[in-house]
Amino acid sequence: MATSVPAYQYQNGTAVPIWLNKGDNAWQMIAATLVGLQSMPGLVILYGSIVKKKWAVNSAFMALYAFAAVIICWVTWAYKMSFGDKLLPFWGKAGPALGQSYLIAQAGLPETTQYHKNGSIETSEQTQFYPMASMVWFQCVFAAITLILLAGSLLGRMNIRAWMMFVPLWLTFSYTVGAFSLWGGGFLYHWGVADYSGGYVIHLSSGIAGFTAAYWVGPRTLSDRERFPPNNVLLMLAGAGLLWLGWAGFNGGDPYAANIDASLAVLNTNVCAATSLLVWTCLDVIFFKKPSVIGAVQGMITGLVCITPAAGLIQGWAAIVLGIMSGSVPWFTMMIVHKRSSLLQQVDDTLGVFHTHAVAGFMGGILTGIFAQPELCNLFLPVTNSQGGIYGGKAGGVQVGKQIAGGLFIIGWNIVVTSIICNVIKFVIPLRMSEEDLMIGDDAVHGEEAYALWGDGEKYDKTKHGGGSNSDDTLHHYATDINKTSSGATQVV
């Protein structure tokens, strides 16, 4: 009688090559899925809920569109620009990541071999025990969430067609540069700048680019800037919850293996996020006498952002320190500095992405240079004997300087490139919606509305449907003049 072999143990075929580690591959695919869930549905829900109800559909759709568009651009040309062969010290060569032979081969980042000054190998090329398909998809969801985070600065007024052009252009000319420079084997990677999971590549870049794009797009209407209440706070919390728990894949997946560094990163991530949320909430209570739910979400996000560049490089006590800093410094810049700065007041950053991502991300990168533990650095960084400033020695002080310089490069590149992209698009299509569309919202832009608050054809009745400041600061009525029609259920006057 022939002996049967379970499919998962079958070694004579090519589906389970000798180099494949099923645990690593399973974790990498799970981590990628968790990061993907942060965007879709996480940020789709959060954005659709945290804005005025007249912008719920548009805000959610900006996130949904970006998620889909990035996937196609990523596998067509952008992945290899970020993690392929070197074209320039900060950029890889464009090319598709779609061929069968490429995707089923063992994953590796070809430009990551680190050399000593004498030419000998310091750290070998990064290779993983799973196929390239897993790596391509894992990195894809990181690229996607970066564009979606950037969108948070532009909600409530950007022309959706301009956004459709912006996404592939910014991915190509900005994100790929940061990813290759810091992760794919570019000059910052080999210099030893530490960005464990995207404090610079994702958060600093999205915060600076979002703020820059917000300047070029222009502000929301005055009424929206003065009052922009969330349309569903509880649903916003559901999106925030997906964002928080999805961060286990965000930071836990970046060792590219199911190893001890991944476990430490996940624990540090949650410790820092919880600390930051509590600090932000306490500051709200102390200064404003009330704990804000939106404030708590902002504190959660700043904690997650701040720990990201440091997650697997610092000890648990340092994660608490980072949480205290991320719950207080961005709170101060948002609640105090922002209100006193003419520049920050001039730029309409809808969700305060500059504070929650740029400030928190840059601060997290600098704090990484201070608290990075030597033994943990050797588990992850290509430059051996790296360590944080508090551990002394020349290497400690140099690491802080490297972190500041790396952050300044990301800031400068994003200001320049984002400005160029916005001005190029402006020649083709307006960056901002028309004033009429801004007054109406989703119904004008998409012909759809998030909530059917009363029946089709029913006359608006303030006693039943609400009104004034309790009804999204807009008064709705149905067109009764047969010569006037609206594209959706309601018309704003």
Side-chain angles (χ1 to χ4, degrees):
M1 182 177 179
T3 303
S4 62
V5 178
Y8 67 86
Q9 293 181 350
Y10 182 64
Q11 295 290 337
N12 294 327
T14 58
V16 188
I18 192 66
W19 46 259
L20 180 68
N21 182 299
K22 295 171 184 175
D24 283 353
N25 193 34
W27 168 238
Q28 210 63 37
M29 295 299 288
I30 291 170
T33 302
L34 289 171
V35 178
L37 287 170
Q38 289 182 292
S39 296
M40 176 62 197
L43 285 170
V44 171
I45 293 174
L46 192 151
Y47 284 2
S49 305
I50 202 171
V51 297
K52 270 186 173 182
K53 63 175 176 282
K54 76 172 185 176
W55 293 118
V57 173
N58 182 257
S59 300
F61 184 75
M62 286 180 69
L64 178 61
Y65 166 80
F67 189 73
V70 167
I71 293 174
I72 301 305
C73 298
W74 190 250
V75 298
T76 307
W77 68 80
Y79 172 76
K80 288 189 177 180
M81 295 180 72
S82 305
F83 296 96
D85 295 318
K86 183 173 74 172
L87 175 66
L88 297 169
F90 53 86
W91 228 351
K93 296 179 182 178
L98 290 167
Q100 171 185 323
S101 59
Y102 181 78
L103 294 175
I104 67 174
Q106 184 176 3
L109 307 182
E111 301 298 338
T112 55
T113 303
Q114 177 74 12
Y115 296 93
H116 290 290
K117 291 182 178 179
N118 62 10
S120 60
I121 293 179
E122 181 176 7
T123 308
S124 299
E125 174 190 340
Q126 285 194 45
T127 55
Q128 293 77 41
F129 300 110
Y130 44 77
M132 188 64 79
S134 297
M135 175 62 76
V136 172
W137 175 236
F138 178 74
Q139 296 295 350
C140 178
V141 289
F142 276 78
I145 199 172
T146 307
L147 265 300
I148 295 172
L149 293 172
L150 190 161
S153 296
L154 307 170
L155 301 181
R157 85 280 201 175
M158 188 172 189
N159 186 333
I160 189 64
R161 288 169 291 176
W163 175 245
M164 293 172 73
M165 294 178 62
F166 181 91
V167 169
L169 289 172
W170 192 87
L171 174 73
T172 303
F173 294 102
S174 184
Y175 182 83
T176 57
V177 169
F180 186 81
S181 298
L182 282 156
W183 288 345
F187 76 108
L188 294 176
Y189 174 91
H190 289 297
W191 191 35
V193 177
D195 187 7
Y196 186 87
S197 193
Y200 287 174
V201 176
I202 295 171
H203 300 295
L204 181 58
S205 66
S206 63
I208 294 298
F211 187 81
T212 304
Y215 169 81
W216 291 110
V217 172
R220 290 165 290 170
T221 62
L222 181 60
S223 61
D224 278 358
R225 292 196 73 179
E226 290 178 343
R227 179 168 170 78
F228 204 69
N231 67 81
N232 195 322
V233 173
L234 296 182
L235 202 58
M236 177 197 71
L237 286 175
L242 288 167
L243 195 65
W244 185 344
L245 293 184
W247 227 281
F250 202 103
N251 288 350
D254 259 310
Y256 301 148
N259 58 20
I260 58 175
D261 212 21
S263 300
L264 178 67
V266 171
L267 180 60
N268 281 342
T269 297
N270 287 282
V271 168
C272 183
T275 304
S276 183
L277 185 154
L278 296 175
V279 169
W280 192 297
T281 300
C282 288
L283 289 172
D284 276 349
V285 171
I286 292 170
F287 288 94
F288 303 120
K289 311 305 180 186
K290 292 180 181 180
S292 165
V293 176
I294 296 177
V297 170
Q298 290 170 327
M300 174 204 83
I301 292 173
T302 55
L304 294 167
V305 169
C306 187
I307 193 64
T308 291
L313 303 175
I314 63 173
Q315 300 185 66
W317 62 265
I320 294 178
V321 174
L322 262 67
I324 294 172
M325 295 295 291
S326 63
S328 56
V329 174
W331 182 94
F332 179 76
T333 64
M334 181 179 287
M335 301 299 178
I336 308 298
V337 176
H338 185 98
K339 296 176 181 179
R340 298 179 180 178
S341 168
S342 58
L343 173 62
L344 294 177
Q345 286 286 317
Q346 179 184 353
V347 179
D348 182 17
D349 179 0
T350 306
L351 299 185
V353 178
F354 174 79
H355 303 284
T356 56
H357 292 273
V359 172
F362 197 16
M363 181 176 66
I366 296 172
L367 292 173
T368 301
I370 296 173
F371 293 107
Q373 204 272 345
E375 183 180 350
L376 297 176
C377 287
N378 287 334
L379 294 177
F380 185 79
L381 298 182
V383 178
T384 56
N385 301 317
S386 298
Q387 63 184 35
I390 66 168
Y391 294 95
K394 181 179 178 181
V398 169
Q399 191 63 46
V400 177
K402 289 179 179 180
Q403 298 300 112
I404 294 173
L408 291 176
F409 170 77
I410 295 297
I411 291 171
W413 185 270
N414 277 278
I415 291 174
V416 173
V417 172
T418 305
S419 295
I420 293 172
I421 291 172
C422 287
N423 281 280
V424 168
I425 294 173
K426 192 163 63 172
F427 279 109
V428 180
I429 190 171
L431 291 171
R432 192 169 178 263
M433 298 180 196
S434 68
E435 292 299 324
E436 182 181 1
D437 287 352
L438 288 172
M439 286 298 297
I440 298 172
D442 289 338
D443 193 14
V445 180
H446 301 280
E448 299 164 319
E449 292 184 309
Y451 305 105
L453 297 181
W454 52 83
D456 187 23
E458 181 182 352
K459 187 176 179 180
Y460 174 76
D461 184 345
K462 184 175 180 179
T463 62
K464 293 193 298 180
H465 305 134
S469 60
N470 294 323
S471 183
D472 200 22
D473 277 359
T474 58
L475 294 177
H476 299 77
H477 72 83
Y478 281 87
T480 55
D481 187 337
I482 60 173
N483 295 316
K484 297 180 181 179
T485 59
S486 61
S487 60
T490 64
Q491 183 180 13
V492 176
V493 292

